[in-house]
Amino acid sequence: MSLKSERRGIHVDQSELLCKKGCGYYGNPAWQGFCSKCWREEYHKARQKQIQEDWELAERLQREEEEAFASSQSSQGAQSLTFSKFEEKKTNEKTRKVTTVKKFFSASSRVGSKKVPPERVEKIMDQIEKYIMTRLYKYVFCPETTDDEKKDLAIQKRIRALHWVTPQMLCVPVNEEIPEVSDMVVKAITDIIEMDSKRVPRDKLACITKCSKHIFNAIKITKNEPASADDFLPTLIYIVLKGNPPRLQSNIQYITRFCNPSRLMTGEDGYYFTNLCCAVAFIEKLDAQSLNLSQEDFDRYMSGQTSPRKQESENWSPDACLGVKQMYKNLDLLSQLNERQERIMNEAKKLEKDLIDWTDGIAKEVQDIVEKYPLEIKPPNQSLVAIDSENVENDKLPPPLQPQVYAG
């Protein structure tokens, strides 16, 4: 599947998503950057190499056993016939062991068992996987030794911040006004969310496959023609943004670590899983250029100052549902209240900062004045003596003069 999504408005970093072998297909981080086809080739090469090494080791061990047995036979040729039955039994035992080793590493075992059908082998492997992983789920899913939980919180916060992204920005060929398409979108979101409730890797992978099939059906109904790969990836990105699946990164890592490799390297399960990994990688690096927006508009949408849906809700058709209209009006009102609350909080923080700065400034000025003009405490002055104290012997003053009136 070539990366043709860029011409539809989605700018994908091809150097990071393409297979590192250069075949032009998507690469999966879980497969060391290879696509499913190249990974399968590398896997088979490594497997054939390991089988060849094991076969050479078995042949060498067989030769050593035959040489050791021949030397023991020559050294014991002169012994009594009493041990003839014992030697015969020993020879048969050695021959049986060598035959077993040769049979295990025979050509038929290298290419696959001819007695057991591959479908039965696959079914048995699935049952073993189901039993083991159900028992070990709570120990191996999102273990403490990894940073899966940290990645889950990061991608969840990222998707919440991108709640304003519309299908038109992603060039999603899905018309949710059609009832059937709307039902398919709801089912796709339900399947991708349900993935977290499953314990077996195969069941989690099946949820991704069901979600992808609902997406293809929604595109087919909308366009009245079969969906293409260029339509599928943007729609899957939109479904992930709209559903915000819980513990998304942990589920992807769990499938990568414990799912049967044959399922991830072949078939539609592997194809849909690879696309999900690409969708998550795109969401993590989504920017203004990816949505054909200016950096200013992108920053305003990310900060919650405005929403692109606000302008869209102003032009309603007369046949639009009243409930949907009221819902968007409520969303616009909540957006306005959110903006107002953020503005008030910012002003309150600014006022608090100004008060703190003013208090610190006044305290600094007082400290500077005290340092510049230090306070000196002088001893108290002596008590002042009474007026005309030299004319009196004590503190008692003579009575005041009384005015006299003369008759004349």
Side-chain angles (χ1 to χ4, degrees):
M1 178 180 63
S2 60
L3 289 175
K4 299 180 181 178
S5 300
E6 185 170 359
R7 61 183 176 83
R8 298 184 58 84
I10 298 178
H11 300 274
V12 182
D13 191 352
Q14 294 187 0
S15 61
E16 296 185 6
L17 296 182
L18 284 175
C19 175
K20 67 179 184 181
K21 198 171 182 180
C23 64
Y25 287 77
Y26 283 119
N28 189 341
W31 301 333
Q32 302 177 358
F34 291 103
C35 65
S36 60
K37 181 180 178 182
C38 297
W39 175 259
R40 184 166 59 254
E41 292 177 357
E42 295 294 328
Y43 176 78
H44 284 307
K45 286 181 182 178
R47 183 176 177 84
Q48 291 296 331
K49 182 179 178 182
Q50 183 64 36
I51 292 175
Q52 184 64 27
E53 292 177 356
D54 293 342
W55 174 250
E56 293 175 357
L57 177 62
E59 290 181 341
R60 183 169 59 83
L61 293 175
Q62 179 184 352
R63 289 195 301 269
E64 291 177 358
E65 281 197 29
E66 290 176 350
E67 292 174 0
F69 178 70
S71 62
S72 63
Q73 285 285 57
S74 60
S75 63
Q76 295 178 1
Q79 289 185 356
S80 174
L81 295 177
T82 309
F83 299 96
S84 60
K85 293 184 178 180
F86 173 76
E87 292 295 336
E88 183 179 358
K89 182 178 180 181
K90 184 178 179 180
T91 303
N92 294 335
E93 184 68 18
K94 287 183 175 291
T95 304
R96 186 183 65 82
K97 290 182 179 180
V98 173
T99 304
T100 303
V101 175
K102 291 174 67 177
K103 182 179 179 181
F104 180 76
F105 292 102
S106 62
S108 61
S109 63
R110 280 181 286 175
V111 299
S113 176
K114 295 182 180 180
K115 295 182 179 179
V116 182
E119 295 80 8
R120 182 172 176 78
V121 174
E122 190 75 17
K123 187 176 180 180
I124 294 174
M125 291 292 293
D126 291 341
Q127 294 298 326
I128 295 175
E129 175 187 303
K130 182 177 182 180
Y131 176 78
I132 295 176
M133 300 314 300
T134 301
R135 291 298 188 95
L136 300 178
Y137 183 77
K138 63 180 180 180
Y139 303 106
V140 298
F141 182 83
C142 191
E144 297 180 356
T145 55
T146 63
D147 58 347
D148 293 348
E149 185 176 1
K150 183 178 179 181
K151 292 180 179 179
D152 289 335
L153 296 175
I155 191 64
Q156 190 176 49
K157 183 178 179 181
R158 176 68 172 173
I159 293 176
R160 286 177 178 174
L162 294 170
H163 69 278
W164 49 267
V165 177
T166 62
Q168 291 75 19
M169 293 179 180
L170 295 172
C171 298
V172 175
V174 170
N175 185 6
E176 295 188 62
E177 294 182 0
I178 302 175
E180 292 184 60
V181 175
S182 179
D183 292 341
M184 291 295 174
V185 171
V186 172
K187 290 179 181 179
I189 295 175
T190 303
D191 289 333
I192 198 68
I193 293 176
E194 189 180 359
M195 175 178 61
D196 186 60
S197 64
K198 305 298 182 181
R199 293 196 170 194
V200 182
R202 175 170 55 90
D203 295 341
K204 292 181 180 291
L205 203 60
C207 291
I208 299 175
T209 301
K210 290 192 294 183
C211 170
S212 302
K213 289 183 177 180
H214 289 313
I215 291 174
F216 273 105
N217 291 333
I219 298 173
K220 183 179 179 181
I221 296 173
T222 302
K223 299 180 65 176
N224 291 324
E225 61 181 16
S228 63
D230 294 333
D231 297 331
F232 170 68
L233 182 57
T235 310
L236 179 60
I237 294 171
Y238 174 69
I239 292 297
V240 174
L241 288 175
K242 197 169 183 179
N244 196 1
R247 299 191 292 185
L248 181 58
Q249 287 286 4
S250 293
N251 283 287
I252 291 177
Q253 294 298 327
Y254 180 75
I255 294 173
T256 303
R257 292 166 185 157
F258 303 108
C259 188
N260 189 347
S262 62
R263 287 187 176 275
L264 296 181
M265 292 185 297
T266 58
E268 59 181 6
D269 291 341
Y271 170 75
Y272 295 139
F273 180 72
T274 301
N275 277 271
L276 178 61
C277 295
C278 294
V280 174
F282 176 80
I283 291 173
E284 291 176 340
K285 299 180 180 180
L286 189 144
D287 54 9
Q289 184 180 4
S290 303
L291 301 175
N292 292 327
L293 296 174
S294 63
Q295 189 62 42
E296 181 181 357
D297 290 341
F298 182 81
D299 294 338
R300 286 168 56 230
Y301 295 155
M302 290 293 291
S303 62
Q305 296 179 2
T306 185
S307 173
R309 300 180 185 273
K310 184 176 181 180
Q311 290 79 11
E312 295 176 3
S313 61
E314 295 176 355
N315 301 321
W316 291 103
S317 62
D319 299 333
C321 178
L322 295 177
V324 175
K325 288 183 180 180
Q326 187 63 38
M327 180 183 68
Y328 278 104
K329 288 181 180 178
N330 293 338
L331 289 175
D332 292 339
L333 179 60
L334 289 174
S335 178
Q336 295 174 8
L337 292 175
N338 186 29
E339 295 174 9
R340 183 178 178 183
Q341 182 183 8
E342 290 182 357
R343 185 168 60 253
I344 293 174
M345 290 299 296
N346 292 333
E347 292 178 356
K349 291 180 180 179
K350 182 180 178 181
L351 178 60
E352 182 182 7
K353 183 177 182 301
D354 293 341
L355 288 174
I356 294 174
D357 294 341
W358 179 80
T359 304
D360 295 342
I362 294 297
K364 187 175 184 303
E365 290 181 4
V366 172
Q367 184 66 26
D368 293 340
I369 292 173
V370 170
E371 292 177 356
K372 186 176 181 180
Y373 304 102
L375 180 64
E376 297 180 1
I377 301 177
K378 296 181 180 180
N381 296 329
Q382 296 179 357
S383 60
L384 298 176
V385 297
I387 299 175
D388 299 333
S389 60
E390 65 275 4
N391 299 325
V392 295
E393 296 179 358
N394 51 27
D395 293 339
K396 294 182 179 180
L397 296 176
L401 297 177
Q402 298 294 331
Q404 296 179 2
V405 179
Y406 294 94

